[in-house]
Amino acid sequence: MSRIYTAAVLVIGNEILSGRTQDANIGYLGRRLNELGIRLLEVRILPDLQSALVPALRRLKEDYDYLFTTGGIGPTHDDITVDCVAAAFERPVIEHPEARRLLEDYYGDRINDARLRMARTPEGAGLIENPVSRAPGIKIENVFVLAGVPRIMQAQFEALAPDLVGGLPMQSVSLPVAMPESEVAPGLGALQERYPDVEMGSYPYMRDGRVGTSLVLRATDEARLKAATDELRDLIAALGGGLDEDM
Amino acid sequence: MSRIYTAAVLVIGNEILSGRTQDANIGYLGRRLNELGIRLLEVRILPDLQSALVPALRRLKEDYDYLFTTGGIGPTHDDITVDCVAAAFERPVIEHPEARRLLEDYYGDRINDARLRMARTPEGAGLIENPVSRAPGIKIENVFVLAGVPRIMQAQFEALAPDLVGGLPMQSVSLPVAMPESEVAPGLGALQERYPDVEMGSYPYMRDGRVGTSLVLRATDEARLKAATDELRDLIAALGGGLDEDM
């Protein structure tokens, strides 16, 4: 059995906590990490307060194989991610020579102190390429510091993805069933007991006043996933239910 | 100065961590809590594992005035929220007589063991009305256990909202500016120093290859917010920038 690799994401964003902006990065990272055989097991969303961020960074980088942060790496006073990551590693913040060079090349005459703030990194950190707007992401041990703007975050993630070591990716099957989850619950629970290596989730939904249930099976072993799915289809048929065509 | 009331949200959902489903509850809760004068200061998203959920519940209910959970209160084997909340409070799980009566009234002949699982609560808990599908939410001390389906979660939240005690709501102003944030950074930082009671955030965006910045000011005191906003408008004009008409 292959080792399980785990990850956490720390979203740094007052604007998401206030409900002003809808996060668009968690779903992307969850899907892509899974494809790489890494399981996203925790997300925290915190405001840009050093007192909140430093303890969370310390904890999450210890508890998981990888930690990704999004947001708070721009040129303004509220961009404190670099300082917090440095504090979590008990390292000083330096101006990274290569980051400075990248920014000077990109901005030319328009370079200024605010833009040069984006060359600051914890001492000993490496850079993550940003093909969109140059200001680099930062990697330090198992922590990857990414932008908050989705287009930049995605480009940075794809630049670092080849360096991530993962295990077997989770395969998944989703069966939308036109019946309430309480009707499939006993059979699903019994099936789960016989397939402890297949994660079985049940997610109710409502559409036009009609109740349905998404049954989701996930496993790293394709044969076991197929066997469990076949049994689940039989169970649904035996209960007189059908797949929900509208999903 | 009025007291500041704080809240955390714990989203229980493998399907959000895997990227299969986009969360729709965090933004709603952030906005509504703010209107009630309560600040959402932390969100955690965790899978349905007792070993992950119980320590998080213990910590978050201690650290914040209010804790809201979403998800994991249905009839299937993967719905373990009630057991985890009970464990966090070191109380047994009981069948709540009023919850049982609600479910029996609603389901009639179609009541079954799976549905009756939704009458289980930690001992001493109260119920939160669910006008959509009857299965109630649960309140215990400062913890509110809500459904994951957005329509039900929202109805439960509105049923409990009149009982929440809050302070002054945050007012906010958002100015979308057609310039990169690094150009407004020095002036914004200086303004923030003169208005420590007004939160100033800067959020870059890209649209059709054009870079812009959303400047967001937030404060509980309307007069201070207006004064800071007026100064910020003057600053943007002095920098030769304008409001972004496309936003």
Side-chain angles (χ1 to χ4, degrees), chain B residues 112-131:
Chain B
N112 61 23
D113 284 348
R115 285 172 173 146
L116 282 175
R117 256 178 71 82
M118 296 188 283
R120 297 166 73 248
T121 72
E123 190 171 64
L127 303 182
I128 300 166
E129 194 190 340
N130 166 3

Side-chain angles (χ1 to χ4, degrees), chain A residues 102-213:
Chain A
L102 283 169
L103 293 167
E104 284 178 340
D105 279 359
Y106 182 63
Y107 287 110
D109 294 348
R110 295 172 301 125
I111 195 76
N112 61 24
D113 285 348
R115 284 171 173 147
L116 283 175
R117 257 178 71 81
M118 296 187 285
R120 298 165 74 248
T121 71
E123 191 170 66
L127 303 183
I128 299 167
E129 194 190 342
N130 167 3
V132 179
S133 58
R134 289 304 173 278
I138 295 163
K139 55 186 166 187
I140 173 168
E141 296 183 12
N142 63 335
V143 178
F144 298 85
V145 177
L146 308 179
V149 176
R151 211 180 122 206
I152 301 174
M153 192 287 297
Q154 292 171 18
Q156 290 174 328
F157 183 84
E158 296 311 328
L160 71 87
D163 296 335
L164 299 176
V165 175
L168 294 173
M170 276 276 193
Q171 313 284 330
S172 74
V173 171
S174 177
L175 300 178
V177 182
M179 60 200 309
E181 62 175 339
S182 46
E183 292 182 10
V184 76
L188 185 69
L191 194 63
Q192 175 73 85
E193 281 184 26
R194 287 191 293 111
Y195 287 89
D197 53 336
V198 179
E199 265 185 45
M200 301 188 185
S202 157
Y203 307 104
Y205 58 83
M206 304 189 77
R207 187 145 313 171
D208 307 327
R210 224 165 28 76
V211 172
T213 305

Side-chain angles (χ1 to χ4, degrees), chain B residues 99-170:
Chain B
R100 184 184 176 115
R101 195 184 51 72
L102 282 168
L103 293 167
E104 285 177 341
D105 280 359
Y106 182 62
Y107 287 110
D109 293 350
R110 296 172 302 125
I111 195 76
N112 61 23
D113 284 348
R115 285 172 173 146
L116 282 175
R117 256 178 71 82
M118 296 188 283
R120 297 166 73 248
T121 72
E123 190 171 64
L127 303 182
I128 300 166
E129 194 190 340
N130 166 3
V132 178
S133 57
R134 290 304 172 279
I138 295 164
K139 55 187 166 188
I140 172 168
E141 297 183 10
N142 65 335
V143 177
F144 298 84
V145 177
L146 308 178
V149 176
R151 211 180 123 205
I152 301 174
M153 192 284 300
Q154 292 172 19
Q156 289 173 328
F157 183 84
E158 297 310 329
L160 70 88
D163 296 334
L164 299 176
V165 175
L168 294 173
M170 276 277 191

Side-chain angles (χ1 to χ4, degrees), chain B residues 24-240:
Chain B
N25 292 329
I26 296 168
Y28 185 88
L29 289 170
R31 276 189 304 280
R32 288 290 291 125
L33 287 168
N34 185 55
E35 287 166 9
L36 298 167
I38 298 165
R39 284 197 226 161
L40 177 58
L41 289 185
E42 178 162 357
V43 173
R44 293 195 195 180
I45 310 177
L46 289 171
D48 47 31
L49 288 172
Q50 184 136 1
S51 58
L53 292 172
V54 175
L57 285 161
R58 282 201 178 118
R59 183 63 186 268
L60 295 171
K61 76 185 176 67
E62 292 302 318
D63 285 357
Y64 299 97
D65 292 317
Y66 300 104
L67 169 60
F68 300 86
T69 74
T70 65
I73 60 168
T76 51
H77 67 275
D78 59 334
D79 291 306
I80 63 169
T81 305
V82 167
D83 301 86
C84 293
V85 172
F89 280 101
E90 295 176 19
R91 299 197 197 184
V93 173
I94 58 148
E95 185 179 84
H96 195 291
E98 192 188 332
R100 184 184 176 115
R101 195 184 51 72
L102 282 168
L103 293 167
E104 285 177 341
D105 280 359
Y106 182 62
Y107 287 110
D109 293 350
R110 296 172 302 125
I111 195 76
N112 61 23
D113 284 348
R115 285 172 173 146
L116 282 175
R117 256 178 71 82
M118 296 188 283
R120 297 166 73 248
T121 72
E123 190 171 64
L127 303 182
I128 300 166
E129 194 190 340
N130 166 3
V132 178
S133 57
R134 290 304 172 279
I138 295 164
K139 55 187 166 188
I140 172 168
E141 297 183 10
N142 65 335
V143 177
F144 298 84
V145 177
L146 308 178
V149 176
R151 211 180 123 205
I152 301 174
M153 192 284 300
Q154 292 172 19
Q156 289 173 328
F157 183 84
E158 297 310 329
L160 70 88
D163 296 334
L164 299 176
V165 175
L168 294 173
M170 276 277 191
Q171 312 284 328
S172 74
V173 171
S174 177
L175 299 178
V177 182
M179 59 200 308
E181 61 174 341
S182 46
E183 291 181 11
V184 76
L188 186 70
L191 193 64
Q192 175 73 83
E193 282 185 24
R194 288 191 292 109
Y195 286 88
D197 52 338
V198 179
E199 264 184 47
M200 300 187 186
S202 157
Y203 307 103
Y205 58 84
M206 304 190 76
R207 185 144 315 172
D208 307 326
R210 227 166 26 77
V211 171
T213 305
S214 266
L215 300 172
V216 179
L217 307 190
R218 303 175 78 224
T220 53
D221 182 325
E222 213 156 336
R224 290 284 290 167
L225 180 63
K226 185 174 179 317
T229 305
D230 289 346
E231 286 205 43
L232 183 57
R233 284 182 193 275
D234 291 346
L235 170 68
I236 294 163
L239 291 169

